[in-house]
Amino acid sequence: MMHRLPNRSLLLILLLLLGGCGGEPDLVEVPLPVLANEPAAHDGRRVATQGVVRHFEEPLHYWIEDEDLHRVEIFPHDEIAPHLGEAVRVEGVFAFSPSEGRRLTLERVTRLSDRD
């Protein structure tokens, strides 16, 4: 014999299931000054931030920075390198260690001039 759920119970179940489908709730917008001044607070979190892509040759590394020179290194280098000199928004996992500094492992990069 089949049991029927009351309409309210069915609606509640549907709302709970759909609640998890609303985008990227674990992605947090964090400005570069905050990442620079409070890096340990964001260690291991998925963040989005923005800045201009810069690089240095020896040793080769890439980062984004703002006008006040707050910086975060970006990995992998080959994914951020095509955006050298551009203002970008980056999303990825942020990591901080006193010995290696601030770095973001890139999941997505968007040129700010391309945003709608």
Side-chain angles (χ1 to χ4, degrees), residues 5-31:
L5 292 173
N7 286 341
R8 286 185 185 165
S9 296
L10 183 58
L11 181 58
L12 180 60
I13 291 170
L14 287 173
L15 288 174
L16 290 172
L17 289 173
L18 292 174
C21 299
E24 301 180 62
D26 62 337
L27 182 69
V28 179
E29 290 283 338
V30 185

Short mmCIF file of all heavy atoms in Angstrom, two decimals, residues 5-31:
data_model
loop_
_atom_site.label_atom_id
_atom_site.label_comp_id
_atom_site.label_asym_id
_atom_site.label_seq_id
_atom_site.Cartn_x
_atom_site.Cartn_y
_atom_site.Cartn_z
N LEU A 5 2.11 11.59 1.23
CA LEU A 5 2.55 12.66 2.12
C LEU A 5 1.56 13.81 2.05
O LEU A 5 1.07 14.14 0.97
CB LEU A 5 3.93 13.17 1.71
CG LEU A 5 5.09 12.21 1.89
CD1 LEU A 5 6.34 12.83 1.26
CD2 LEU A 5 5.33 11.94 3.35
N PRO A 6 1.28 14.43 3.16
CA PRO A 6 0.45 15.64 3.09
C PRO A 6 1.14 16.69 2.23
O PRO A 6 2.37 16.73 2.12
CB PRO A 6 0.36 16.09 4.55
CG PRO A 6 0.76 14.91 5.37
CD PRO A 6 1.65 14.07 4.51
N ASN A 7 0.39 17.57 1.62
CA ASN A 7 0.93 18.59 0.73
C ASN A 7 1.98 19.45 1.41
O ASN A 7 2.98 19.82 0.81
CB ASN A 7 -0.20 19.47 0.19
CG ASN A 7 -1.02 18.75 -0.86
OD1 ASN A 7 -0.57 17.76 -1.43
ND2 ASN A 7 -2.23 19.22 -1.08
N ARG A 8 1.80 19.79 2.66
CA ARG A 8 2.78 20.61 3.38
C ARG A 8 4.11 19.88 3.51
O ARG A 8 5.16 20.47 3.36
CB ARG A 8 2.28 20.98 4.76
CG ARG A 8 1.23 22.02 4.75
CD ARG A 8 0.86 22.43 6.14
NE ARG A 8 -0.25 23.35 6.11
CZ ARG A 8 -0.97 23.67 7.14
NH1 ARG A 8 -0.69 23.15 8.31
NH2 ARG A 8 -1.96 24.52 7.03
N SER A 9 4.06 18.59 3.80
CA SER A 9 5.31 17.81 3.95
C SER A 9 6.05 17.73 2.62
O SER A 9 7.26 17.87 2.56
CB SER A 9 5.01 16.40 4.45
OG SER A 9 4.45 16.45 5.75
N LEU A 10 5.31 17.51 1.56
CA LEU A 10 5.92 17.44 0.23
C LEU A 10 6.55 18.78 -0.13
O LEU A 10 7.67 18.84 -0.63
CB LEU A 10 4.88 17.04 -0.81
CG LEU A 10 5.37 16.87 -2.24
CD1 LEU A 10 6.48 15.83 -2.29
CD2 LEU A 10 4.24 16.47 -3.14
N LEU A 11 5.86 19.87 0.15
CA LEU A 11 6.38 21.20 -0.14
C LEU A 11 7.66 21.47 0.66
O LEU A 11 8.64 21.99 0.14
CB LEU A 11 5.33 22.26 0.18
CG LEU A 11 5.72 23.71 -0.10
CD1 LEU A 11 6.10 23.89 -1.56
CD2 LEU A 11 4.60 24.65 0.29
N LEU A 12 7.66 21.09 1.94
CA LEU A 12 8.84 21.27 2.78
C LEU A 12 10.03 20.49 2.24
O LEU A 12 11.14 21.01 2.15
CB LEU A 12 8.54 20.88 4.22
CG LEU A 12 9.69 21.02 5.21
CD1 LEU A 12 10.16 22.47 5.28
CD2 LEU A 12 9.29 20.52 6.58
N ILE A 13 9.81 19.27 1.83
CA ILE A 13 10.88 18.44 1.26
C ILE A 13 11.43 19.08 0.00
O ILE A 13 12.64 19.18 -0.19
CB ILE A 13 10.39 17.00 1.00
CG1 ILE A 13 10.13 16.30 2.34
CG2 ILE A 13 11.39 16.22 0.15
CD1 ILE A 13 9.41 14.97 2.21
N LEU A 14 10.56 19.55 -0.88
CA LEU A 14 11.01 20.20 -2.11
C LEU A 14 11.81 21.46 -1.83
O LEU A 14 12.84 21.71 -2.45
CB LEU A 14 9.82 20.52 -3.01
CG LEU A 14 9.16 19.34 -3.70
CD1 LEU A 14 7.88 19.78 -4.41
CD2 LEU A 14 10.11 18.67 -4.65
N LEU A 15 11.37 22.26 -0.88
CA LEU A 15 12.10 23.48 -0.53
C LEU A 15 13.48 23.16 0.03
O LEU A 15 14.46 23.84 -0.28
CB LEU A 15 11.30 24.31 0.47
CG LEU A 15 10.07 25.01 -0.09
CD1 LEU A 15 9.28 25.67 1.03
CD2 LEU A 15 10.46 26.02 -1.14
N LEU A 16 13.57 22.13 0.84
CA LEU A 16 14.88 21.74 1.39
C LEU A 16 15.82 21.25 0.30
O LEU A 16 17.01 21.57 0.29
CB LEU A 16 14.70 20.66 2.46
CG LEU A 16 14.07 21.13 3.77
CD1 LEU A 16 13.77 19.94 4.67
CD2 LEU A 16 14.97 22.12 4.48
N LEU A 17 15.28 20.48 -0.63
CA LEU A 17 16.12 19.98 -1.73
C LEU A 17 16.57 21.11 -2.64
O LEU A 17 17.72 21.15 -3.06
CB LEU A 17 15.35 18.93 -2.55
CG LEU A 17 15.13 17.60 -1.86
CD1 LEU A 17 14.21 16.72 -2.70
CD2 LEU A 17 16.45 16.89 -1.60
N LEU A 18 15.69 22.04 -2.95
CA LEU A 18 16.04 23.15 -3.83
C LEU A 18 16.94 24.16 -3.15
O LEU A 18 17.68 24.88 -3.81
CB LEU A 18 14.78 23.85 -4.33
CG LEU A 18 13.92 23.04 -5.29
CD1 LEU A 18 12.64 23.78 -5.59
CD2 LEU A 18 14.67 22.71 -6.56
N GLY A 19 16.94 24.23 -1.85
CA GLY A 19 17.77 25.18 -1.13
C GLY A 19 19.24 25.01 -1.38
O GLY A 19 20.01 25.96 -1.37
N GLY A 20 19.69 23.81 -1.67
CA GLY A 20 21.09 23.55 -1.94
C GLY A 20 21.51 23.83 -3.36
O GLY A 20 22.66 23.67 -3.72
N CYS A 21 20.59 24.26 -4.21
CA CYS A 21 20.88 24.45 -5.63
C CYS A 21 21.09 25.91 -6.00
O CYS A 21 21.11 26.26 -7.17
CB CYS A 21 19.73 23.90 -6.48
SG CYS A 21 19.46 22.14 -6.25
N GLY A 22 21.26 26.79 -5.05
CA GLY A 22 21.27 28.22 -5.33
C GLY A 22 22.63 28.83 -5.52
O GLY A 22 22.96 29.80 -4.87
N GLY A 23 23.46 28.33 -6.41
CA GLY A 23 24.73 28.97 -6.69
C GLY A 23 25.87 28.39 -5.88
O GLY A 23 25.93 27.20 -5.66
N GLU A 24 26.79 29.26 -5.44
CA GLU A 24 27.98 28.83 -4.74
C GLU A 24 28.02 29.46 -3.34
O GLU A 24 28.71 30.46 -3.13
CB GLU A 24 29.21 29.23 -5.54
CG GLU A 24 29.21 28.63 -6.93
CD GLU A 24 30.44 29.03 -7.72
OE1 GLU A 24 31.55 28.69 -7.28
OE2 GLU A 24 30.28 29.70 -8.74
N PRO A 25 27.30 28.89 -2.39
CA PRO A 25 27.21 29.52 -1.09
C PRO A 25 28.53 29.54 -0.31
O PRO A 25 28.69 30.36 0.57
CB PRO A 25 26.16 28.68 -0.35
CG PRO A 25 26.19 27.36 -1.04
CD PRO A 25 26.53 27.66 -2.47
N ASP A 26 29.46 28.67 -0.66
CA ASP A 26 30.72 28.65 0.08
C ASP A 26 31.76 29.61 -0.50
O ASP A 26 32.85 29.74 0.03
CB ASP A 26 31.28 27.24 0.17
CG ASP A 26 31.60 26.64 -1.19
OD1 ASP A 26 31.03 27.09 -2.20
OD2 ASP A 26 32.41 25.70 -1.24
N LEU A 27 31.43 30.31 -1.57
CA LEU A 27 32.32 31.30 -2.18
C LEU A 27 32.07 32.65 -1.51
O LEU A 27 30.95 33.14 -1.47
CB LEU A 27 32.07 31.41 -3.68
CG LEU A 27 32.96 32.36 -4.45
CD1 LEU A 27 34.39 31.83 -4.50
CD2 LEU A 27 32.42 32.57 -5.84
N VAL A 28 33.14 33.27 -0.96
CA VAL A 28 33.02 34.51 -0.22
C VAL A 28 33.80 35.61 -0.92
O VAL A 28 34.96 35.40 -1.29
CB VAL A 28 33.56 34.33 1.22
CG1 VAL A 28 33.46 35.62 2.01
CG2 VAL A 28 32.84 33.20 1.93
N GLU A 29 33.17 36.77 -1.12
CA GLU A 29 33.87 37.94 -1.69
C GLU A 29 34.76 38.54 -0.60
O GLU A 29 34.27 38.87 0.48
CB GLU A 29 32.87 39.00 -2.14
CG GLU A 29 32.05 38.62 -3.35
CD GLU A 29 32.82 38.74 -4.66
OE1 GLU A 29 33.82 39.48 -4.73
OE2 GLU A 29 32.39 38.08 -5.61
N VAL A 30 36.06 38.65 -0.89
CA VAL A 30 37.00 39.21 0.09
C VAL A 30 37.92 40.18 -0.65
O VAL A 30 38.67 39.78 -1.54
CB VAL A 30 37.85 38.11 0.77
CG1 VAL A 30 38.72 38.72 1.85
CG2 VAL A 30 36.97 37.01 1.35
N PRO A 31 37.90 41.46 -0.31
CA PRO A 31 38.78 42.44 -0.97
C PRO A 31 40.26 42.13 -0.68
O PRO A 31 40.60 41.57 0.38
CB PRO A 31 38.38 43.77 -0.35
CG PRO A 31 37.06 43.54 0.30
CD PRO A 31 37.01 42.10 0.66
#
